[in-house]
Amino acid sequence: MAFMVFADGTGEEAPAAALEALTKVASLGGESCVFHVGPASDEAFAAYGAHGASKVFHLDTDNALPSAQATAALADVCEVGDVLLFSMGNLDRDVAGRLSARAGVPVLANAVDVALQDGAVVVTNEILGGTTRVLTGSMSEEATIVIARPKAFPAEPSGGGAPEVVPVPVPDVGHAGSAVVTEHHVEESEGPDLEAAKVVVSGGRGLGNAENFAIVEELAKLLSGAVGATRAVVDSGWVPYALQVGQTGKTVKPDVYIACGISGAMQHIVGMKDSSTIIAINKDAEAPIFGLADLGVVGDVHKVVPALIEALKTRG
Amino acid sequence: MKIAVCAKQIPDPATPYALDPTTHFVVRPDDQVLDDTDRYGIEVGLQLAEAAGEGSSVTVVSMSPSGSLQGIRQALAMGADKAVVIDDDDLRGAEALTTARILAAAIAREEADVVIAGTESTDGYSGIVPQQIAEILGMPSLTFARKVEKTDGGIRIERQTGGGYDVVEAAAPVLLSVTSGAVEPRYPTFKGIMQAKSKPIDTLTAADLGVQITTQQQIRTVEPVPARQAGEVIEDEGDAHERIVALLEQVKVI
Ligand SMILES: Cc1cc2nc3c(=O)[nH]c(=O)nc-3n(C[C@H](O)[C@H](O)[C@H](O)COP(=O)(O)OP(=O)(O)OC[C@H]3O[C@@H](n4cnc5c(N)ncnc54)[C@H](O)[C@@H]3O)c2cc1C
Ligand SMILES: Nc1ncnc2c1ncn2[C@@H]1O[C@H](COP(=O)(O)O)[C@@H](O)[C@H]1O
């Protein structure tokens, strides 16, 4: 059984999720290849090698949205019995879904762990807000697709050398491959990277409006932390999607997570529940966020947060 | 422009539900509601139909092995023209790929130019059914759209990315998945609710569509997770910030 790790290389560096998956495969004692989509990157290829990949398949579709082409190309290089590991990113989900339909193989989604039991791939899911753990096994002899949650496993280099890089020609998939990317927009955010920051200060609908979000930003800055948000405020257009924490956003595990005016819906919690220390400020004593906070403050964010900002400023 | 919107009926998320200890299926209350996520897809469909004008139609396609039509009526009340419901007991607990094959077969019969889905369902959240449908139907997939507009012969979207957004376009026939930031769904009017009662609903089975139901995964164990120990909850009397500062000092971030 061989493992194929999908890497969305349309961004800059070696995607962290691919390195996590490679580390997981190494711990299972498996052989792994990487399927890298996007511009060639020697830095990324070296990182894959260092994390255990022996071979990198490389596909670059220029300004075509890669989903359908990557699916066909990946199907060509895979072999019977392969396990394909994807993360939760957009391109990951596009290719995982399309490939499953193309090859008629199952997708085990939202995995927080992957293991092999009696030769079958078994994934762990945490459902119902993380209160229940389910183990699901693949019954497919052909291949199995796994979509793992980011940060489900740590990334650790195992000291492998440079992998063999195999360029893959762009397959012609007709109309299915006709989507074109005409513009890229990066929404710059200040401060440290949300996924790596030691402190994350997040804001929810309880802040009332987009202007009030400034107190979350100010608090984050004072603590040299990153700013996060709930989907409710992202969808309202207060802050960009890049700041969303949760099921369909980023997964964070900072030393301290401060939730301001956030109810604690289970789709938010899955993205931050593994933070070392959680502090929550919410005016509703019944808010579910208090169920996992180390320190819960029942109070008004418009009073508690400015007071906290003042106290931190005078502290110097 | 013929538009098909995939919309799921789910147990009301406000009512607690659990897993059946033997089948491991979600125990569904009889009452099913329209998945909130799909209200956005329906709204996008209605707006595209309005923009395309005369001869456009919006068909709701739903695989709902529940016998309930409550959520479908909600979708029709918003303004969709008709619905195709696949209601078949054998589809209970169906895997994503079977769901996609069923929906794709139903959509193919409608000869849709544009297929719309949500990015992930509230209760299943595998987040791959739309892409599976696109692959089966040989369509490009414009996914994770936070903005949708009609072009001459196709669709252009703003696609959410980890660091911003991309503008992506494709010609019809095309599949879109839309986020809940894309549009503000309309509320059904009284007239809409009355009209929904007489709108056509086609009910089909897997056999009608010629789809084989496959099972490729198996739940092995289900167990409770030890809950994170909740800490202390205090009432703010004007000095709660001092407790927060003390905790930040204790964990050495200040
Ligand atoms: C498929 C799916 C995926 C999802 N993915 C995500 C995701 O990735 N991330 C995510 O965050 N959500 C996600 N959601 C949405 C999630 O279910 C919740 O709707 C969302 O997290 C709620 O955001 P909120 O806490 O800001 O808003 P609300 O739930 O409205 O909570 C606002 C809170 O603010 C409190 N409040 C109000 N005023 C004040 C005040 N003055 N002072 C203090 N507190 C106040 C209220 O008591 C309330 O608890 C997803 C949902 C679905 C269906
Ligand atoms: N049973 C279903 N009936 C209709 N549409 C569905 C069904 N399951 C999934 N979908 C569509 O696919 C999207 C993603 O669902 P999922 O892959 O389950 O997360 C949903 O938002 C729906 O638009």
Side-chain angles (χ1 to χ4, degrees):
Chain A
M1 184 176 311
F3 291 82
M4 180 73 78
V5 172
F6 183 83
D8 175 359
T10 52
E12 260 87 294
E13 310 135 57
L19 305 183
E20 292 164 10
L22 287 168
T23 307
K24 185 74 209 179
V25 175
S27 79
L28 296 174
E31 281 282 305
S32 57
C33 298
V34 170
F35 192 87
H36 176 101
V37 179
S41 158
D42 290 337
E43 198 189 327
F45 297 165
Y48 301 147
H51 286 77
S54 54
K55 198 190 259 188
V56 176
F57 294 99
H58 172 227
L59 176 78
D60 189 353
T61 61
D62 286 325
N63 59 354
L65 184 70
S67 315
Q69 287 86 339
T71 299
L74 185 50
D76 275 348
V77 299
C78 280
E79 287 170 20
V80 172
D82 276 359
V83 181
L84 295 103
L85 295 177
F86 291 79
S87 187
M88 302 272 296
N90 293 354
L91 187 60
D92 286 78
R93 275 158 63 185
D94 281 359
V95 177
R98 296 195 77 118
L99 183 63
S100 129
R102 187 181 184 93
V105 300
V107 180
L108 307 180
N110 288 302
V112 296
D113 200 6
V114 189
L116 297 174
Q117 280 180 14
D118 330 317
V121 187
V122 176
V123 305
T124 306
N125 285 120
E126 284 177 356
I127 63 160
L128 303 177
T131 57
T132 307
R133 186 173 292 143
V134 180
L135 256 65
T136 305
S138 168
M139 295 155 71
S140 169
E141 312 245 298
E142 279 162 70
T144 299
I145 296 173
V146 173
I147 302 180
R149 288 201 54 84
K151 291 204 175 69
F153 355 98
E156 275 156 29
S158 48
E164 178 194 352
V165 177
V166 183
V168 177
V170 181
D172 179 3
V173 290
H175 179 65
S178 65
V180 180
V181 181
T182 56
E183 293 168 36
H184 288 288
H185 294 266
V186 177
E187 295 173 322
E188 293 291 348
S189 59
E190 290 176 34
D193 176 18
L194 175 56
E195 289 169 288
K198 291 211 177 308
V199 175
V200 174
V201 184
S202 285
R205 191 141 52 189
L207 287 158
N209 59 44
E211 288 68 49
N212 292 341
F213 210 84
I215 58 174
V216 169
E217 285 156 2
E218 192 177 356
L219 179 57
K221 204 165 180 180
L222 279 168
L223 296 169
S224 308
V227 176
T230 64
R231 190 175 88 169
V233 310
V234 169
D235 287 346
S236 302
W238 299 2
V239 296
Y241 168 69
L243 302 192
Q244 184 173 317
V245 171
Q247 166 69 29
T248 48
K250 304 220 155 107
T251 300
V252 300
K253 291 187 181 180
D255 294 344
V256 176
Y257 188 88
I258 307 181
C260 308
I262 292 176
S263 60
M266 60 187 192
Q267 295 93 349
H268 184 73
I269 285 175
V270 295
M272 47 65 76
K273 67 178 171 50
D274 296 323
S275 306
S276 310
T277 298
I278 297 172
I279 300 172
I281 303 156
N282 192 305
K283 68 173 184 191
D284 174 9
E286 302 295 313
I289 191 79
F290 289 132
L292 74 161
D294 299 282
L295 176 61
V297 174
V298 181
D300 186 345
V301 278
H302 306 303
K303 296 198 178 116
V304 180
V305 176
L308 179 58
I309 289 171
E310 273 321 301
L312 290 169
K313 277 185 179 161
T314 46
R315 221 178 144 273
Chain B
M1 183 185 277
K2 289 177 95 174
I3 299 164
V5 184
C6 301
K8 197 171 178 181
Q9 294 193 115
I10 61 168
D12 189 340
T15 59
Y17 53 95
L19 294 187
D20 183 301
T22 49
T23 64
H24 300 313
F25 295 165
V26 173
V27 180
R28 290 166 186 273
D30 289 339
D31 270 357
Q32 300 260 308
V33 296
L34 177 63
D35 186 346
D36 190 60
T37 299
D38 290 322
R39 288 170 56 232
Y40 299 86
I42 291 162
E43 181 62 39
V44 168
L46 294 172
Q47 289 186 13
L48 286 174
E50 282 155 13
E54 210 51 35
S56 295
S57 64
V58 177
T59 302
V60 174
V61 182
S62 187
M63 188 187 96
S64 306
S66 65
S68 170
L69 290 174
Q70 197 178 325
I72 307 296
R73 299 254 186 244
Q74 280 175 268
L76 294 173
M78 282 177 72
D81 300 291
K82 63 182 175 106
V84 178
V85 178
I86 303 90
D87 186 349
D88 186 330
D89 253 350
D90 292 341
L91 290 168
R92 270 178 206 276
E95 291 173 7
L97 187 51
T98 297
T99 305
R101 285 174 173 154
I102 291 279
L103 295 172
I107 291 162
R109 287 168 39 131
E110 300 299 316
E111 297 178 336
D113 304 302
V114 177
V115 181
I116 304 174
T119 50
E120 56 271 306
S121 60
T122 300
D123 65 338
Y125 58 89
S126 66
I128 48 163
V129 166
Q131 293 87 342
Q132 290 174 322
I133 294 172
E135 181 72 16
I136 294 168
L137 297 176
M139 293 182 187
S141 40
L142 301 184
T143 46
F144 308 97
R146 62 170 213 181
K147 191 172 167 211
V148 178
E149 54 190 359
K150 196 179 126 353
T151 59
D152 202 9
I155 299 288
R156 181 184 303 124
I157 67 158
E158 283 183 13
R159 170 179 164 91
Q160 271 184 352
T161 62
Y165 67 95
D166 289 348
V167 177
V168 191
E169 54 185 56
V174 59
L175 174 136
L176 318 175
S177 81
V178 300
T179 71
S180 45
V183 283
E184 195 50 58
R186 66 193 70 184
Y187 285 99
T189 58
F190 180 71
K191 192 169 152 222
I193 294 168
M194 296 314 288
Q195 283 173 342
K197 294 188 172 145
S198 55
K199 285 180 177 170
I201 300 179
D202 263 356
T203 310
L204 304 173
T205 62
D208 292 337
L209 293 168
V211 174
Q212 281 254 298
I213 300 170
T214 55
T215 303
Q216 297 181 308
Q217 41 188 283
Q218 184 183 36
I219 293 183
R220 297 197 169 191
T221 58
V222 177
E223 57 185 33
V225 176
R228 186 184 170 115
Q229 204 84 41
E232 193 187 351
V233 178
I234 59 168
E235 195 87 36
D236 179 37
E237 310 280 0
D239 54 2
H241 59 278
E242 291 168 15
R243 290 293 308 278
I244 299 177
V245 171
L247 180 57
L248 293 174
E249 280 172 348
Q250 190 193 323
V251 298
K252 299 196 170 60
V253 304
I254 55 172

Short mmCIF file of all heavy atoms in Angstrom, two decimals, chain A residues 34 37 43 75 91 109 123 218 270:
data_model
loop_
_atom_site.label_atom_id
_atom_site.label_comp_id
_atom_site.label_asym_id
_atom_site.label_seq_id
_atom_site.Cartn_x
_atom_site.Cartn_y
_atom_site.Cartn_z
N VAL A 34 4.23 12.74 -3.36
CA VAL A 34 3.45 13.96 -3.27
C VAL A 34 2.94 14.31 -4.65
O VAL A 34 3.65 14.14 -5.65
CB VAL A 34 4.32 15.12 -2.71
CG1 VAL A 34 3.60 16.46 -2.84
CG2 VAL A 34 4.68 14.86 -1.25
N VAL A 37 0.44 20.61 -6.99
CA VAL A 37 -0.23 21.39 -8.04
C VAL A 37 0.13 22.86 -7.85
O VAL A 37 -0.06 23.41 -6.77
CB VAL A 37 -1.76 21.23 -7.98
CG1 VAL A 37 -2.43 22.06 -9.06
CG2 VAL A 37 -2.14 19.77 -8.12
N GLU A 43 12.07 24.80 -2.92
CA GLU A 43 11.97 24.84 -1.47
C GLU A 43 10.90 23.85 -0.98
O GLU A 43 11.12 23.07 -0.06
CB GLU A 43 11.57 26.27 -1.08
CG GLU A 43 11.80 26.65 0.34
CD GLU A 43 11.16 28.01 0.62
OE1 GLU A 43 11.12 28.85 -0.31
OE2 GLU A 43 10.68 28.21 1.74
N ALA A 75 -5.48 10.67 -11.12
CA ALA A 75 -6.04 9.32 -11.36
C ALA A 75 -5.05 8.49 -12.18
O ALA A 75 -4.91 7.28 -11.96
CB ALA A 75 -7.38 9.42 -12.08
N LEU A 91 -8.91 23.69 -2.96
CA LEU A 91 -8.45 22.85 -4.07
C LEU A 91 -8.40 21.39 -3.63
O LEU A 91 -8.74 20.48 -4.39
CB LEU A 91 -7.09 23.33 -4.59
CG LEU A 91 -6.60 22.61 -5.85
CD1 LEU A 91 -7.58 22.82 -7.00
CD2 LEU A 91 -5.21 23.12 -6.25
N ALA A 109 -13.97 11.83 5.15
CA ALA A 109 -13.71 13.26 5.33
C ALA A 109 -13.57 13.65 6.79
O ALA A 109 -13.93 12.88 7.69
CB ALA A 109 -14.84 14.06 4.68
N VAL A 123 -10.18 5.88 9.70
CA VAL A 123 -10.01 7.26 10.16
C VAL A 123 -10.82 7.51 11.42
O VAL A 123 -11.81 6.83 11.69
CB VAL A 123 -10.42 8.31 9.10
CG1 VAL A 123 -9.68 8.09 7.80
CG2 VAL A 123 -11.92 8.33 8.89
N GLU A 218 -7.10 45.78 18.46
CA GLU A 218 -6.21 46.48 19.38
C GLU A 218 -5.70 45.54 20.47
O GLU A 218 -4.50 45.53 20.80
CB GLU A 218 -6.92 47.69 20.00
CG GLU A 218 -5.95 48.59 20.74
CD GLU A 218 -6.59 49.84 21.32
OE1 GLU A 218 -7.81 50.06 21.11
OE2 GLU A 218 -5.87 50.58 22.01
N VAL A 270 -14.58 23.47 16.86
CA VAL A 270 -13.63 22.50 16.30
C VAL A 270 -12.35 23.16 15.82
O VAL A 270 -11.33 22.51 15.72
CB VAL A 270 -14.22 21.65 15.13
CG1 VAL A 270 -15.33 20.76 15.61
CG2 VAL A 270 -14.67 22.51 13.98
#
